[in-house]
Amino acid sequence: MKDFLLRKVRLSYYFIFFYFFYFIVAAIFPEVELDRPLLTLFSINSFLYGFYISPILSSQRNRVDDLHKAIRAEANALFAMVLKSKKLPKKLHHEFQGMVTDYVYAILKQKPASNGEVEYEKIIGRLVNYGGKEQDLMGDILKDVVANQGKRSNIHLLIQNKVYRSEWIVMLFLFMVTISFVLFIDAQGQLYFELIIPMLCTGLTMLIVILIKMNRLTHKKAKQIWLPYETLLKSKFYKIDD
């Protein structure tokens, strides 16, 4: 259920839900007039929340950008391997392309880079153990396959570069304190402030939601990192761009 909400529910729907949620909560919460010490505490906590979450969110955005580049680089490498294998006899070429196809399918099945490990080892094993007439070309392709291991390792490291549990604890603590202060603000019966308070709470919450989706690679931008693999399969290794 959690994965479904992260993958399928759009951010705009989250915004609408949280806005009405906080609008109801703000109406229920008792209003407190914040004196100078409380305002100082609120300001410090708000600053710390923004100061802490901003670099982490930026880091996850950079991680997604780096994954875009790394996955495209591997897709290009796979495309080049299959293209080079066309110089092999037809049967051997189809066998090699089939193994690469199985490897890409394995990655896309659950979308961690480690999913294709078994399939990639089969490709290496087939190339290493080949003893036919096309041994020189197969050896050349093997060099490309081995060189691609560096790209695979880079992708794996980027996927594993998630937000640490300790960072989540600190962020959520600062987030809850900030939200509580905002909800306790006395709107003094003014409609404008009564509308602004839930909007501010929603904005603070959306930062957390966006970070979660970036961290789990379910954000719209993050889901696009797999497109080069998908295009390779759809085009049967004729192109990597739609």
Side-chain angles (χ1 to χ4, degrees):
M1 182 64 178
K2 179 175 67 174
D3 289 339
F4 173 81
L5 290 175
L6 288 174
R7 287 196 303 268
K8 301 297 182 181
V9 180
R10 300 178 62 177
L11 288 172
S12 56
Y13 296 152
Y14 277 110
F15 184 89
I16 294 171
F17 168 78
F18 281 118
Y19 181 81
F20 285 104
F21 170 77
Y22 284 120
F23 187 84
I24 295 171
V25 173
I28 297 173
F29 259 51
E31 295 180 343
V32 177
E33 185 175 349
L34 301 180
D35 54 20
R36 182 173 295 179
L38 287 176
L39 284 173
T40 302
L41 182 60
F42 173 50
S43 299
I44 294 173
N45 188 85
S46 300
F47 170 78
L48 288 175
Y49 175 65
F51 180 80
Y52 198 81
I53 196 173
S54 179
I56 295 175
L57 188 56
S58 178
S59 174
Q60 288 301 307
R61 285 175 177 165
N62 291 336
R63 169 183 173 238
V64 171
D65 290 337
D66 290 340
L67 276 169
H68 271 284
K69 297 174 185 176
I71 288 175
R72 176 168 291 277
E74 190 191 21
N76 274 310
L78 296 175
F79 175 78
M81 292 176 204
V82 174
L83 187 64
K84 187 177 291 187
S85 73
K86 289 184 177 181
K87 298 177 182 178
L88 296 168
K90 193 172 183 180
K91 183 178 179 180
L92 201 56
H93 161 66
H94 287 311
E95 180 188 356
F96 178 76
Q97 183 171 330
M99 289 191 295
V100 177
T101 299
D102 291 341
Y103 164 66
V104 177
Y105 267 123
I107 292 175
L108 293 176
K109 187 176 181 181
Q110 293 182 353
K111 297 181 177 175
S114 57
N115 266 18
E117 189 65 37
V118 174
E119 288 74 14
Y120 206 78
E121 288 178 359
K122 288 181 180 178
I123 295 173
I124 294 176
R126 180 68 178 95
L127 294 171
V128 168
N129 296 322
Y130 179 78
K133 297 179 180 179
E134 307 293 335
Q135 193 164 359
D136 289 342
L137 182 54
M138 291 290 271
D140 193 24
I141 296 174
L142 176 60
K143 290 179 182 177
D144 295 337
V145 172
V146 173
N148 187 57
Q149 282 283 26
K151 298 182 182 68
R152 297 187 69 247
S153 298
N154 187 34
I155 293 170
H156 181 71
L157 289 173
L158 286 169
I159 288 177
Q160 297 301 317
N161 187 21
K162 298 182 178 181
V163 181
Y164 294 113
R165 183 176 298 179
S166 58
E167 292 174 324
W168 281 118
I169 292 173
V170 175
M171 277 188 296
L172 292 175
F173 176 78
L174 294 171
F175 164 74
M176 288 187 292
V177 173
T178 304
I179 286 290
S180 298
F181 270 112
V182 175
L183 290 173
F184 278 122
I185 291 176
D186 185 3
Q188 299 178 350
Q190 298 186 35
L191 179 61
Y192 175 78
F193 287 115
E194 290 176 352
L195 295 175
I196 286 294
I197 288 173
M199 187 174 293
L200 179 57
C201 292
T202 301
L204 294 170
T205 306
M206 290 302 294
L207 290 176
I208 296 291
V209 174
I210 291 172
L211 182 57
I212 292 173
K213 289 175 76 69
M214 283 286 189
N215 187 59
R216 297 290 298 275
L217 298 178
T218 57
H219 190 276
K220 182 179 180 180
K221 182 179 180 181
K223 289 190 289 187
Q224 294 174 350
I225 64 176
W226 311 106
L227 288 179
Y229 290 145
E230 294 171 358
T231 305
L232 279 178
L233 295 179
K234 289 177 183 177
S235 67
K236 297 182 179 180
F237 291 85
Y238 276 95
K239 58 182 182 178
I240 61 171
D241 293 307
D242 286 324

